[in-house]
Amino acid sequence: MLNILNTETPSLQHPDLDLYDSARLMQALVEDQLAAIDAVRAAAPALAAAVDAALPRIAAGGRLLYAGAGTSGRLGVLDSVELGPTFSWPRERAVAVMAGGDGAMFVAVEGAEDDETQGGLDLTAQHPGPNDVLLALAASGHTPYVLGALAAAHAAGSLTLGLANNPGAAVLTACDHPILLDTGAEIISGSTRLKAGTAQKIALNSFSSALMVRLNKVYGNLMVDMKATNAKLVRRAVALTRRAAGVDEARAVAALSQCDFSVKTAIVMLLKQLPAADATQLLTQHQGSVRRALAAH
């Protein structure tokens, strides 16, 4: 099987890579990554369809689940973790399972990806349901651990998305929404932490960010549902509030201080001249949409 996978086939473009000086080597490595952008661009319609399919389930209280091994697994963990500070997404609603367990995030656990049964058990342990959405990640598209997780998600009635870097991969044929990221041969043969991983990172970023936009976590192009959990993010919250509401720093800070530094609440408070409680209630009535809350009479 390995010999027929695009991601495992030696590249014909740089057979003397080890002879390059640093400047030429860096240029070759960077330029090869451009194929990741092309692959995700080609997959954009499939990603958009996946967003539309996932939206009603997530809006109904479902979770984003991720399953992967190695680089793919780590990218799933990364996407799940970053949704909290960026969009105030509850940690329990973005859950990643990875071949080899949590420790495999830091130390490679060889052989764990070959355990299809364990993939099913790890996913089942998260008690998936019909409103949950699984993102199954595998560069090869044939990782047994990920296929086990996919089978468990299907059995629970969850929506399944498969992201793989080889056409016709088992992960793509076993899921509801196949997303092919056809990056081809790697410049360093078989090293899918390169452009295959880059394509997966772009696809995950794009999918989850689009989903959050559709869930009213963004106003215009401003991330107004972030968590101000450190000094940098407090400054960002103030800047976002100033920009969206057109007020000075003092007024922005005053409003934010009354609503636990919720940017979207502060914007509605300032532009509708409402107290924090009323602004919060208005946002709730409009499913957290700042735009609809501001338009309300």
Side-chain angles (χ1 to χ4, degrees):
M1 180 180 68
L2 293 179
N3 291 332
I4 65 171
L5 297 180
N6 289 351
T7 52
E8 302 289 344
T9 301
S11 173
L12 300 178
Q13 293 186 331
H14 300 279
D16 297 320
L17 190 71
D18 61 329
L19 299 179
Y20 292 1
D21 62 21
S22 295
R24 187 180 178 193
L25 179 59
M26 188 56 63
Q27 182 179 11
L29 287 164
V30 171
E31 287 183 353
D32 196 58
Q33 292 280 341
L34 296 176
I37 297 173
D38 292 337
V40 182
R41 184 181 289 119
L47 284 164
V51 169
D52 288 340
L55 183 62
R57 298 186 187 227
I58 300 301
R63 298 171 297 167
L64 290 169
L65 306 175
Y66 302 75
T71 298
S72 297
R74 294 182 188 99
L75 290 170
V77 172
L78 182 62
D79 199 66
S80 72
V81 169
E82 290 182 340
L83 293 178
T86 308
F87 299 110
S88 294
W89 192 248
R91 183 71 190 96
E92 64 274 13
R93 293 186 65 192
V95 181
V97 297
M98 183 174 176
D102 293 344
M105 187 70 186
F106 304 98
V107 179
V109 181
E110 300 299 335
E113 68 178 57
D114 297 328
D115 195 337
E116 185 170 347
T117 299
Q118 191 61 50
L121 291 173
D122 287 352
L123 201 285
T124 299
Q126 301 303 324
H127 306 290
N131 282 331
D132 292 333
V133 177
L134 173 69
L135 292 94
L137 311 165
S140 71
H142 298 276
T143 308
Y145 179 90
V146 177
L147 291 172
L150 259 175
H154 265 305
S158 303
L159 183 73
T160 56
L161 282 57
L163 286 76
N165 298 83
N166 286 290
V171 164
L172 300 178
T173 58
C175 71
D176 299 315
H177 284 268
I179 298 165
L180 170 63
L181 304 169
D182 193 0
T183 44
E186 295 286 0
I187 188 172
I188 298 176
S189 301
S191 182
T192 51
R193 64 181 289 270
L194 296 175
K195 63 185 173 188
T198 300
Q200 289 185 0
K201 180 67 166 68
I202 297 171
L204 286 171
N205 270 357
S206 301
F207 172 82
S208 60
S209 296
L211 191 60
M212 293 298 127
V213 172
R214 297 294 308 278
L215 290 168
N216 303 316
K217 300 288 186 177
V218 172
Y219 172 51
N221 65 349
L222 306 178
M223 46 182 269
V224 295
D225 211 358
M226 53 165 285
K227 280 191 177 298
T229 53
N230 59 36
K232 176 190 72 175
L233 295 177
V234 166
R235 291 193 297 271
R236 185 176 297 169
V238 173
L240 288 167
T241 303
R242 291 185 63 186
R243 178 164 182 168
V247 298
D248 60 22
E249 182 174 343
R251 289 188 65 194
V253 171
L256 286 164
S257 298
Q258 296 173 50
C259 61
D260 195 28
F261 269 72
S262 166
V263 175
K264 60 166 49 179
T265 304
I267 292 169
V268 175
M269 288 171 62
L270 290 162
L271 292 180
K272 299 283 284 187
Q273 299 184 8
L274 294 173
D278 290 349
T280 299
Q281 183 178 16
L282 189 60
L283 281 164
T284 300
Q285 291 171 354
H286 293 279
Q287 295 76 48
S289 169
V290 173
R291 193 174 295 277
R292 292 203 297 270
L294 293 176
H297 296 292

